[in-house]
Every structure is written in C-alpha cells, then in structure tokens.
Amino acid sequence: MNPPVIEKVAQKILSENDRIAAALRASFLQRHILCVNLISSPGSGKTLLLEKTLEAFPKTERVAVLTGDIQTDNDARRLARYGFPVRQITTAGACHLDARMIEKALADWDLSTIDTLFIENVGNLVCPTAYDLGEEAKIVLLSVTEGEDKPLKYPGIFFKSDLAIFTKIDLLPFVPFQLDEAHENARKIHPGIEMIDLSAHTGQGMDAWTQWLAARKAKRHSACA
Amino acid sequence: MNPPVIEKVAQKILSENDRIAAALRASFLQRHILCVNLISSPGSGKTLLLEKTLEAFPKTERVAVLTGDIQTDNDARRLARYGFPVRQITTAGACHLDARMIEKALADWDLSTIDTLFIENVGNLVCPTAYDLGEEAKIVLLSVTEGEDKPLKYPGIFFKSDLAIFTKIDLLPFVPFQLDEAHENARKIHPGIEMIDLSAHTGQGMDAWTQWLAARKAKRHSACA
C-alpha cells in the first residue's frame, strides 16, 4: 500500500487546502462575514434547518448559502426559494467540500454584500472534518434517529465543532434515542462544545439557534472593531 | 493541488485493494461462503438489522460478522451477544473498510466453519463504495428519516448495490418520507436493484430479508456445485 507516499500526498493536499482556507478566513474577517460550516450524515436535516433559518430571516438580512452535494442541485433549488443568494457546489464524486471549491464558488460574488455565509457540506460525518474551508465555526448536526454513541464513534467532527445541534427532536417519542446520553458523549469528546436540541419541523429550539448565530455575529463585529 | 499525482496514488491504492479483494472473493467462492457488505450513513440501522438477523438464526447457523468503525467496539459488543463469531475492525480515522483490513481480520479464522459472512462497513454513504472487499453483494441501507432523494444524491452506492433496504419504516407515519418516490429514485440509478422495506424494530419486512439471504445462499451453492 506504500503508506509513506500516500501520507506525503495527503499532507500536500491538506497543506494546499490550508493555504487557501487561511486566505478565505482573512477575507471573511476583513469583511465581518460570519461563515459557518454545517457537517452531518446524509439526511440529518442540514437543508431543512437552513430552509427554516432563511424563511425566518428578514429579507434585508445579508445572508448567502453554498451547498455541497456529490450529485444534483436539489438542495440549491430548495434553498433558493427564500430570496437569498444560493449556489450549489456539485463535487462529482468527492466526499467533502474543500477550500478551493469554496474559493471558486465565491469568485464572482461581491463579498461586501454578505454578513453571514452558510456552507452546507456534503452529507458525510467523516471526511469533511479534515478540510478547513476558512469558516469561523464547524457545526455538527446529529439526528435523534441515529444513535447516542455517534460522538464516540465519530469523535473527529465533535472535537472540531463549536456547536452540536441535535435535530428531529419531535421524533424523540418514537425512537429509543437518549438525549442526555448523547449530550454526555459529545462532552466526553469535547468538554466545551455548545449544544442545541432542535426540531426544524416544529420550530422547537429554533430560537436558541438564531440566538447562537446572533451572538457569534456580535462577537465577530466586536473582535474586528 | 497536482491532480495527476493524486490520481496515480489513488489508482495504486485501488488496484492493490482490488488484488486483495479478488483473492478474498476466490477464497469465499471456494468455501461456498456468502459474503455481503452492508453500507449506509451513520445511524441508518445496520447494527440493529444485524442484531435482529443473528437473533433469529438457529444457533447451528454458520454465520460470522466483521464490523467496522472509526472508533469504539460498541457494535461488536452489541453483536457478540448472539453467540456467533464477531470481530470489530477499528479503522482509526479511515472513512471506509478496505480489503486488506478484511484479509487481516480473517487471517486467524477457520473459514471452513463459516457459511455467511456479514461485513458492516463504516457509516458513510460515499467512500466505502469505491472499495471492493471481495463480497458477493453490496447492500445499501437508507432510513426513512433521511430524504427520498438520497439515491440521486449518492448514486454510486445505489448503482453498485444488488439490494437496497429501506429501514425504520415504523417511523413512516411521523416523517414526510415518500417510500414510492424513494423506490423510483433508486430504480432511476439502478433499474435492476432489488428492494426491501423493513423495520428491524417491529420485525416488518424481516422475512423478505431472510428469504433474500437464503435465495442468495442457494444460488451460491448451485453455482459452485
């Protein structure tokens, strides 16, 4: 298998990614843009959360979305209905977004018109973890239809995320998921992780999420002042 | 990013994998072992399906399980309760199982004592698709708490799988999932794919699954006779 060669190439790819991500981060910082990178398994509710988030924003809000998928522009079409700029990144096989894809997708956008940039990563709880996209925060989503032990099984993404959102809590009465145990497992991996329990379907927990975003935006502005 | 170098290394890894997978396949064929490779997102119910499958088997059944995870041996502990040989493969970061991991895990097992080998892959709908493990069939699981458009968004695994199992159908009354649309999307990607709708929780559809396994085993024996 020749691991040294593989390792060397992997390091080269990641260091090139880190260089582009650092430039993106500097650009976001300079323009006071809050950029968050949403990561989860397929079907954990990233797109629905973004739909409900966009729906609730005043139309004057300066928000934009980049959404990644291996194939289809289904998500971009779902998200474009709310009147904010949305762009699909189709990775054509790649299991994650990388910084170059973000750089390319933003190349013809006027960043001075954006305050908040949501990046919806490819549905994958593993590979996107390794790719810095220049975001201020990674956010991991875990649906209550998955298992409580997921933070222990996929520690990388819980360790790297500032916020864990437990989604689909309206389904809690119908599934054996123990929310307390899931919280505890997330804290075992990342003691300082923030957590929100939420149902985009019923709206429960949406306030906590929009408050989290507002606090992060305020912090960003004060840090840059 | 230097794609030619990456591509060359990727080809080298995959061709090395294919060589080992071919040897595994020959070994399974020679011993009439039915080997299936279960692939899905994290939390789609691979482990619960295997638990219920093992529970229903007579103790005389010659069945074994290899279960892959990035971290923890939780799944092996869950599966070992049913009295059949189970071994955890912890990939320590890798987002998929590869043929060498299977070869290594089987090295000290007497394959002549096994008729059916279940491989539970790492929870990931993308990367495991590319790695042949010597299995007779890939099986993709999709939970009804995910979206109907997943076959279109993750076409690779639906194209390569002989069977798609739609899991957690007991939750259908509580989620907006359209089963017919999901079936149709799977057929768009892979017209000949077999499909089973199932709830490991209530037992609905489990008969169809055990019959599918029995038919595959019978076919394997007649092919080798």
Side-chain angles (χ1 to χ4, degrees):
Chain A
M1 288 275 197
N2 212 345
V5 176
I6 299 165
E7 207 171 291
K8 217 167 155 185
V9 175
Q11 276 168 2
K12 194 180 158 79
I13 297 168
L14 281 173
S15 70
E16 174 73 356
N17 188 81
D18 285 349
R19 193 189 58 72
I20 302 169
L24 286 169
R25 183 167 287 111
S27 166
F28 297 151
L29 197 64
Q30 189 192 351
R31 294 172 175 83
H32 308 299
I33 298 171
L34 173 67
C35 172
V36 292
N37 177 4
L38 274 64
I39 297 174
S40 80
S41 307
S44 296
K46 295 182 293 301
T47 313
L48 187 63
L49 175 64
L50 285 176
E51 283 188 272
K52 297 293 180 181
T53 308
L54 296 181
E55 191 178 46
F57 273 145
K59 294 297 166 244
T60 51
E61 198 81 15
R62 294 153 40 99
V63 56
V65 184
L66 297 178
T67 180
D69 270 304
I70 293 179
Q71 288 293 348
T72 85
D73 63 350
N74 292 4
D75 287 356
R77 284 188 283 116
R78 280 172 64 183
L79 292 164
R81 294 180 295 181
Y82 303 94
F84 299 103
V86 172
R87 182 164 283 171
Q88 180 80 44
I89 303 175
T90 307
T91 66
C95 53
H96 58 272
L97 294 177
D98 65 36
R100 190 179 287 281
M101 296 176 195
I102 304 300
E103 181 188 49
K104 201 175 152 199
L106 294 178
D108 61 353
W109 270 7
D110 178 4
L111 290 184
S112 71
T113 65
I114 299 171
D115 284 334
T116 307
L117 177 64
F118 293 106
I119 301 176
E120 180 186 355
N121 221 307
V122 175
N124 186 326
L125 209 45
V126 189
C127 315
T129 310
Y131 288 82
D132 184 3
L133 305 182
E135 74 276 342
E136 171 163 325
K138 286 186 173 65
I139 298 174
V140 59
L141 281 76
L142 178 67
S143 147
V144 303
T145 64
E146 306 173 37
E148 306 88 358
D149 61 350
K150 292 292 173 288
L152 306 180
K153 283 179 159 184
Y154 302 87
I157 185 55
F158 284 85
F159 183 72
K160 286 200 178 178
S161 292
D162 287 9
L163 174 66
I165 303 183
F166 295 89
T167 62
K168 308 195 189 184
I169 56 167
D170 54 297
L171 294 177
L172 277 173
F174 314 113
V175 294
F177 193 87
Q178 298 297 322
L179 202 49
D180 288 350
E181 199 178 322
H183 289 175
E184 196 182 317
N185 287 335
R187 275 200 208 95
K188 269 184 203 161
I189 300 300
H190 182 171
I193 198 165
E194 294 181 82
M195 292 188 274
I196 293 173
D197 305 330
L198 179 150
S199 164
H201 187 61
T202 66
Q204 197 184 343
M206 286 298 288
D207 281 354
W209 161 238
T210 49
Q211 282 160 19
W212 187 91
L213 286 170
R216 275 300 181 112
K217 269 195 273 192
K219 192 172 146 194
R220 158 133 298 201
H221 274 273
S222 65
C224 303
Chain B
M1 287 274 199
N2 210 346
V5 176
I6 298 165
E7 207 172 292
K8 216 167 153 186
V9 174
Q11 277 168 1
K12 194 179 157 80
I13 296 168
L14 281 174
S15 70
E16 174 72 358
N17 188 81
D18 285 349
R19 192 188 58 71
I20 302 169
L24 286 169
R25 183 167 288 110
S27 165
F28 296 152
L29 197 64
Q30 190 193 351
R31 294 174 176 84
H32 308 297
I33 298 171
L34 172 68
C35 172
V36 293
N37 177 5
L38 273 64
I39 296 175
S40 81
S41 307
S44 295
K46 294 182 293 302
T47 314
L48 187 63
L49 175 63
L50 285 177
E51 283 188 271
K52 296 294 180 181
T53 308
L54 296 182
E55 191 178 47
F57 273 146
K59 295 295 166 244
T60 50
E61 198 82 11
R62 293 152 41 102
V63 56
V65 184
L66 298 178
T67 181
D69 269 303
I70 293 178
Q71 289 292 349
T72 84
D73 62 350
N74 292 4
D75 287 355
R77 283 189 283 115
R78 281 172 63 183
L79 292 165
R81 293 180 295 182
Y82 303 93
F84 299 104
V86 172
R87 181 165 283 173
Q88 181 80 45
I89 302 175
T90 307
T91 67
C95 52
H96 58 271
L97 293 176
D98 65 36
R100 190 180 287 281
M101 295 176 196
I102 304 300
E103 181 188 51
K104 202 175 150 197
L106 294 178
D108 61 353
W109 270 6
D110 178 4
L111 291 183
S112 70
T113 64
I114 299 173
D115 284 333
T116 307
L117 176 65
F118 293 106
I119 301 176
E120 180 186 356
N121 221 307
V122 175
N124 185 328
L125 210 45
V126 190
C127 314
T129 310
Y131 289 83
D132 183 3
L133 305 182
E135 72 276 343
E136 171 163 325
K138 286 185 174 61
I139 298 174
V140 59
L141 281 75
L142 178 67
S143 146
V144 303
T145 63
E146 305 173 39
E148 305 87 359
D149 62 351
K150 292 293 171 290
L152 307 179
K153 284 179 157 185
Y154 302 87
I157 185 57
F158 284 85
F159 182 72
K160 286 200 178 179
S161 292
D162 287 10
L163 174 67
I165 303 182
F166 296 89
T167 62
K168 307 194 190 186
I169 56 167
D170 55 298
L171 294 177
L172 277 173
F174 314 112
V175 295
F177 193 88
Q178 298 297 322
L179 202 49
D180 287 351
E181 200 178 321
H183 289 175
E184 196 182 316
N185 287 335
R187 274 198 208 95
K188 270 184 200 160
I189 300 301
H190 182 170
I193 197 166
E194 294 180 83
M195 291 188 274
I196 294 173
D197 305 329
L198 178 149
S199 165
H201 187 60
T202 66
Q204 198 184 343
M206 287 296 290
D207 281 355
W209 161 237
T210 49
Q211 282 160 19
W212 186 92
L213 287 171
R216 275 301 181 110
K217 269 194 275 190
K219 193 172 146 194
R220 159 132 297 200
H221 273 273
S222 66
C224 304

